[in-house]
Amino acid sequence: MAKDAALESCDTALRNRQYAQAIQMAEKHANQAEFWLCKGRAQSGLAQNAAAQQSFKQAISLKPEGLDLISAHMLLGNAQLEAKVHEAAIDSYQQALKFSEQQNMRRYTRIAHNLIGEAYFDLGQYAQALNAFENGEKLAMNDDERADSHIHEAMAYQQLQQADKAIEYQLKGVMMLRKSGTPDQYAEASLTLGKLFAEKKDYASADKTYQRLMEYAADNGGDFYEAKTAIYWAESKRAQGDTAGAQQLMQQAETMAAKLKDGELDALLLKAK
């Protein structure tokens, strides 16, 4: 019981971003893999990347089992990816994949495929990334997970210059998120879809996408997304040569941004001017 209570305290400190405290607690249990995982995550939180990698390796050397073993390889991979050692990260994710498959853990097998895809994507190897995302999609168990896969696939298609495929998968993702995602997920995915249409010069579809999102944001009290949509839509209007329409949308965005005082919106407005 004492170990569980101590681990719970370490995890609570992590959640509350009391990283130094979490590290202190973890160091009292240096012979247990779970505490090295807690320590490594705290070190990641403090941006101590090299130390975090060492902690995750130490956890693995203590031969944890089950989910702890899978988590250790995933967390090590994440730290390696952040340090831009892509080959090592992919290797760690492959280990996580192997152990997930061995233990029939479908959810973690899917996550491992996605992590491998993200590492390849970061490397600019988009065909391998797409392949990994597709493997992950086969294991999706609900619309949320399928939407996540479709949006990752769309990103890869976009980089592979396959605009129609990118739009097709992004649209699938948007429709699923409308039903089962959070309002933020749906809004971000819709903004990307609008942008994909505009890049393809399919302005009618871009306008429709932004119009739909604008109404959704208004209905759901999403001032932030209403303003953000206005900025994206203005860019599309400008590309269509509709200066007056663009101007009107920018004014709408500025009025809302002045009320919200949000850093991200202010930066977007600055860039859009």
Side-chain angles (χ1 to χ4, degrees):
M1 176 59 219
K3 174 190 157 185
D4 290 346
L7 194 57
E8 186 56 48
S9 305
C10 198
D11 287 339
T12 303
L14 257 185
R15 274 197 300 275
N16 297 331
R17 300 189 177 188
Q18 298 163 327
Y19 299 126
Q21 208 174 321
I23 290 169
Q24 262 177 342
M25 287 180 204
E27 282 170 348
K28 293 180 188 149
H29 303 267
N31 57 345
Q32 291 167 29
E34 304 97 315
F35 286 94
W36 282 102
L37 294 182
C38 184
K39 182 178 180 177
R41 287 165 64 205
Q43 288 163 325
S44 289
L46 292 168
Q48 297 171 359
N49 183 286
Q53 286 188 52
Q54 284 313 314
S55 292
F56 297 138
K57 284 177 183 166
Q58 187 61 37
I60 292 166
S61 75
L62 291 166
K63 302 200 174 11
E65 292 177 351
L67 194 49
D68 284 332
L69 179 63
I70 295 166
S71 298
H73 283 290
M74 283 184 177
L75 288 165
L76 176 58
N78 291 348
Q80 289 165 328
L81 187 60
E82 203 179 306
K84 298 284 177 208
V85 275
H86 290 87
E87 300 306 329
I90 290 168
D91 201 41
S92 294
Y93 293 147
Q94 297 278 13
Q95 291 291 321
L97 178 63
K98 182 179 81 177
F99 294 123
S100 300
E101 284 178 338
Q102 276 174 8
Q103 297 176 54
N104 257 329
M105 289 193 174
R106 182 171 171 161
R107 177 165 175 245
Y108 290 92
T109 307
R110 183 186 73 84
I111 291 171
H113 279 302
N114 277 357
L115 289 170
I116 291 166
E118 283 170 14
Y120 277 124
F121 191 90
D122 207 44
L123 262 179
Q125 297 181 8
Y126 302 118
Q128 284 97 318
L130 180 61
N131 184 35
F133 294 145
E134 286 171 345
N135 287 331
E137 187 205 331
K138 290 180 192 125
L139 297 163
M141 288 193 275
N142 54 43
D143 276 354
D144 246 7
E145 293 181 356
R146 271 185 284 277
D148 180 55
S149 291
H150 290 326
I151 282 165
H152 276 91
E153 288 159 344
M155 276 169 28
Y157 279 123
Q158 188 188 5
Q159 294 297 336
L160 290 165
Q161 317 277 298
Q162 297 184 33
D164 290 338
K165 279 284 197 197
I167 286 169
E168 178 194 335
Y169 278 85
Q170 190 69 21
L171 189 57
K172 280 186 192 176
V174 165
M175 286 162 78
M176 285 177 183
L177 287 172
R178 173 107 204 201
K179 291 199 301 261
S180 70
T182 66
D184 285 10
Q185 287 172 326
Y186 170 71
E188 285 297 341
S190 297
L191 287 171
T192 303
L193 179 62
K195 230 176 156 56
L196 287 171
F197 278 131
E199 277 167 16
K200 215 191 142 208
K201 302 202 179 340
D202 178 354
Y203 296 119
S205 299
D207 284 346
K208 220 182 286 177
T209 304
Y210 291 135
Q211 177 73 48
R212 200 173 294 134
L213 179 55
M214 198 69 112
E215 287 162 8
Y216 176 85
D219 291 345
N220 289 278
D223 288 354
F224 172 80
Y225 280 107
E226 227 177 303
K228 199 167 172 178
T229 305
I231 296 169
Y232 274 59
W233 200 356
E235 194 184 334
S236 172
K237 290 278 190 203
R238 231 176 267 130
Q240 297 174 58
D242 179 359
T243 323
Q247 194 63 42
Q248 199 179 344
L249 283 161
M250 284 302 286
Q251 269 169 345
Q252 189 180 339
E254 278 168 12
T255 308
M256 296 182 98
K259 276 197 307 218
L260 290 168
K261 298 193 182 15
D262 180 279
E264 188 191 335
L265 275 184
D266 295 340
L268 274 174
L269 274 170
L270 250 165
K271 222 175 95 185
K273 278 178 186 165

